[in-house]
Amino acid sequence: MSGKNEISIEKDEALQPVPNNQRQHWITPAMIFGGLEFTIPVLMVGATLAGSFGLGKIFLLLIIALFGIQWIGNTLQGYMGAKTGRSSSVIARTSFGAMQARFIVGLTIFVVSLGWWAVQTSVAGNAISVMLGIDYTQQWGLWAIITVVAGLLFAIPSIIGYNSMKWTDYIAVPAGLLLIGGGIYFALKNTGWETIANWSPEPSMGILAAISLIIGANVSQWVIASDYTRYAKPTIKDNVLIPAGIVLVGFPLFIVGAVMSVGVGDADIVNVMMNLGFPVWGFFILWFATWTSQLVNNYSMGLALSNMLNVNSNKGRALLTLAGTFIAIIVALAGILDYFMDFLYLTALIYPAVAGIMMVDFFLIRKRTWQDNSGWNWMATIALAAGTALGYVTQYVVTFGLPAVQSLIASGVVYYAAMKIKAKIAPDQFTGTAANDYELEADVK
């Protein structure tokens, strides 16, 4: 492929920066982000919220979580990718060190992206089974075959590379819009607007827990956004606009998940669709809509694995993405869907801690620059442990606030303080600008 605005598939390398002449209009990564948000877990979270809140409260919760919190995190991480032209696991080499970025950050991104992919592949297998008249709860063998085939089809564009993903989203996003329209139509037809509008269940979760659940469905983007914005222009305006793809698609999709589940009493979106009487084409469109987010998860999984194994070539990235796909299919067949909510909360603890360190390092310590630091930065390790621990305690031990946000802030604060102390006592390649700041202060005094 050629042309001023096209990305050459052969040059879709995992470790090298994307050249400025291959950067694209902000709409392209925004479209990919919009495709990312067409995800089954978003519908399932919307359905879960409907078990505790009416539509008015869900609307308000989404405004706070998506516009007030999610957009900011996506903008900061997205700008880092556009500014450096590098993927998230490579950017992490500056703050964590190359070795730690490969084996801690890279592994985290790989495992969580793999988990999300496996969850959605499992649900897609359920949906296609229903479409074909197969009872996926009883006929495991047929369900497994369908799930494997669906998973491989999901993976093909992300194995080929970024450019293939872009064109897939142009096809699949309209399919997602049809799913939204169909969901609203069948909900109104079967449940009725009066029931939906007056829905006011007894809450089984608090407001902060609900906001945390919404953030948990999207929190991975606070780290992996760079994988896609590295193809965007490094301007503040573009990177503020790009998260619109997430928010403007996610907002109605959460609402549709809630609307569809009113009166059904089930968060399993396949069961909800069955109870609403969706025709065969509805389950086919569900697969198409899921395809978009699967591409992103699979692509990030391959990039993270490439960084872990220090593989830079497009061919190497493609082969590692394929290998990760096979592992993810095995996980899907093992039944990860049964542990979906626990998995969602887990990602909401680990990712924000990583993001907090990367953001503080890039904007406050490194002054918006990137360098490939070798070794292992123990200050980042300490901050990662502190942020994750605080998130865990406030999520599971003493429930308080918004664990994901608190985890991000805590890791960032601990990292900044630890790096300042290190810059005074034992400056090295990691302290960078921080060490220079202290030298300047000493000269002034």
Side-chain angles (χ1 to χ4, degrees), residues 95-415:
S95 52
F96 285 86
M99 185 177 295
Q100 186 171 198
R102 288 170 62 188
F103 295 107
I104 301 298
V105 179
L107 182 62
T108 297
I109 295 173
F110 173 73
V111 170
V112 177
S113 296
L114 183 149
W116 277 111
W117 192 91
V119 165
Q120 295 193 87
T121 299
S122 179
V123 176
N126 293 355
I128 296 173
S129 295
V130 170
M131 185 176 72
L132 298 176
I134 295 170
D135 185 350
Y136 61 85
T137 63
Q138 300 295 326
Q139 297 170 284
W140 189 89
L142 290 175
W143 170 83
I145 293 172
I146 290 169
T147 302
V148 170
V149 173
L152 291 175
L153 290 175
F154 277 147
I156 289 173
S158 57
I159 292 171
I160 295 173
Y162 183 92
N163 208 51
S164 177
M165 292 168 56
K166 178 184 70 175
W167 289 111
T168 304
D169 277 337
Y170 285 141
I171 298 172
V173 168
L177 294 175
L178 283 176
L179 179 66
I180 289 176
I184 294 173
Y185 171 78
F186 285 105
L188 292 175
K189 179 182 177 182
N190 291 275
T191 306
W193 171 246
E194 186 175 352
T195 301
I196 294 172
N198 296 324
W199 182 253
S200 183
E202 187 68 28
S204 59
M205 71 172 72
I207 290 176
L208 292 179
I211 293 174
S212 290
L213 192 59
I214 296 169
I215 294 173
N218 289 292
V219 73
S220 63
Q221 299 153 21
W222 290 354
V223 173
I224 68 171
S226 300
D227 293 349
Y228 310 95
T229 57
R230 66 192 182 120
Y231 285 100
K233 296 175 183 178
T235 66
I236 294 175
K237 183 196 77 172
D238 280 21
N239 288 278
V240 168
L241 291 172
I242 287 170
I246 291 290
V247 174
L248 297 182
V249 171
F251 196 94
L253 206 62
F254 278 110
I255 293 291
V256 167
V259 167
M260 288 170 62
S261 69
V262 168
V264 176
D266 197 332
D268 185 329
I269 202 63
V270 174
N271 288 339
V272 169
M273 292 174 67
M274 289 172 61
N275 279 286
L276 288 178
F278 260 80
V280 169
W281 63 260
F283 294 95
F284 184 70
I285 286 177
L286 177 66
W287 183 86
F288 251 118
T290 303
W291 198 6
T292 60
S293 56
Q294 289 295 73
L295 294 177
V296 176
N297 285 321
N298 219 39
Y299 187 70
S300 287
M301 180 173 64
L303 286 178
L305 193 55
S306 296
N307 185 42
M308 288 172 62
L309 301 179
N310 206 33
V311 173
N312 183 52
S313 69
N314 179 58
K315 181 179 180 181
R317 178 204 57 76
L319 289 174
L320 289 175
T321 304
L322 179 61
T325 298
F326 285 128
I327 297 173
I329 288 175
I330 293 172
V331 172
L333 297 179
I336 191 174
L337 189 59
D338 296 336
Y339 307 96
F340 169 70
M341 287 303 171
D342 290 337
F343 177 73
L344 198 62
Y345 280 127
L346 177 65
T347 64
L349 298 180
I350 299 175
Y351 264 123
V354 172
I357 294 167
M358 292 176 64
M359 291 174 185
V360 166
D361 184 85
F362 184 79
F363 289 102
L364 301 182
I365 294 179
R366 216 66 54 182
K367 310 300 183 185
R368 295 187 294 174
T369 61
W370 180 89
Q371 62 187 70
D372 194 356
N373 288 325
S374 60
W376 187 295
N377 185 8
W378 286 101
M379 301 305 101
T381 309
I382 293 169
L384 180 64
T388 304
L390 179 63
Y392 178 84
V393 169
T394 55
Q395 179 70 62
Y396 295 107
V397 181
V398 182
T399 304
F400 174 77
L402 300 172
V405 176
Q406 290 153 193
S407 178
L408 184 148
I409 294 173
S411 64
V413 169
V414 171
Y415 179 73

Side-chain angles (χ1 to χ4, degrees), residues 80-102:
M80 291 164 61
K83 183 70 174 177
T84 64
R86 290 174 165 87
S87 63
S88 55
S89 56
V90 175
I91 294 174
R93 291 184 179 217
T94 302
S95 52
F96 285 86
M99 185 177 295
Q100 186 171 198
R102 288 170 62 188

